[in-house]
Amino acid sequence: QWERGVTTPSPDMLVKLANLYGVTVDYILNNRDDTTPNDSRRVPVLGEVAAGLPMMAEENIVDYEEIDPAMAASGELFGLRIKGSSMEPRIKEGDVVIIRKQEDVDTGDVAVVLVNGDSATVKRIKKETSGITLIPNNPAYDPKYYSNEDIQRLPVKIIGKVLELRGKF
């Protein structure tokens, strides 16, 4: 229907298509003569995530971040803006982290974790046979341990692995 001119894609859909194919919106709309795709891709920043106490997860697109094609090819990616200070001094409030969606990470990885089904937090992960510990970088905050029973009951679920930090000034 788009090709026949019956309907037109929304601006949001044009952005999604451009990101998917690694081209610009102008290229999709035939406003450019060249056929060379961009050297970078854009991923949505889906609101804020706590670097402190777990907070309600938001999934509103608040911005976009450019990433290179190699990172774009590594899986389903999204960004989150940090709120809080538990991951300081390295990860600060207002920074954006780029996350690859995945349900498991290795000990030592920094991940986004969903607690109680709707509260998200960014922490370093320590996996044990008896459970998982979410470890802040900031010594003013205490690590939080969840037993295997807690993980099932609450639940506690890893959403993805933090791949990159985008510091903001």
Side-chain angles (χ1 to χ4, degrees):
Q1 288 184 340
W2 291 347
E3 289 177 351
R4 290 192 311 253
V6 175
T7 63
T8 58
S10 70
D12 287 341
M13 182 55 69
L14 287 171
V15 170
K16 288 178 183 178
L17 289 169
N19 287 335
L20 177 69
Y21 292 109
V23 297
T24 65
V25 170
D26 282 338
Y27 176 75
I28 290 175
L29 296 174
N30 292 318
N31 292 338
R32 287 183 48 181
D33 292 335
D34 69 4
T35 58
T36 307
N38 287 345
D39 288 340
S40 62
R41 313 277 164 101
R42 292 178 5 141
V43 295
V45 178
L46 303 176
E48 295 180 329
V49 65
L53 300 175
M55 62 183 280
M56 298 297 283
E58 293 183 30
E59 288 193 11
N60 300 319
I61 297 176
V62 296
D63 201 0
Y64 288 89
E65 288 285 331
E66 297 284 330
I67 59 169
D68 64 56
M71 183 182 283
S74 72
E76 186 178 342
L77 304 174
F78 61 96
L80 290 171
R81 185 169 288 128
I82 297 296
K83 184 172 180 81
S85 60
S86 74
M87 294 303 284
E88 288 181 355
R90 182 74 174 111
I91 302 174
K92 298 178 181 169
E93 184 158 349
D95 289 348
V96 171
V97 288
I98 305 298
I99 297 114
R100 179 177 52 229
K101 189 175 180 181
Q102 59 187 66
E103 294 181 2
D104 194 21
V105 296
D106 295 327
T107 289
D109 287 342
V110 175
V112 177
V113 180
L114 201 60
V115 180
N116 294 322
D118 61 3
S119 297
T121 189
V122 173
K123 296 288 181 288
R124 189 163 308 281
I125 304 298
K126 180 180 179 189
K127 294 166 72 174
E128 304 168 45
T129 56
S130 62
I132 188 172
T133 303
L134 307 183
I135 304 169
N137 286 345
N138 187 336
Y141 291 81
D142 294 326
K144 180 68 176 155
Y145 174 78
Y146 295 96
S147 68
N148 288 330
E149 181 182 288
D150 293 335
I151 291 168
Q152 295 300 316
R153 181 179 46 82
L154 291 175
V156 177
K157 181 180 177 187
I158 293 170
I159 297 174
K161 178 180 177 179
V162 173
L163 299 180
E164 190 172 285
L165 168 65
R166 306 281 176 100
K168 302 298 178 187
F169 294 104

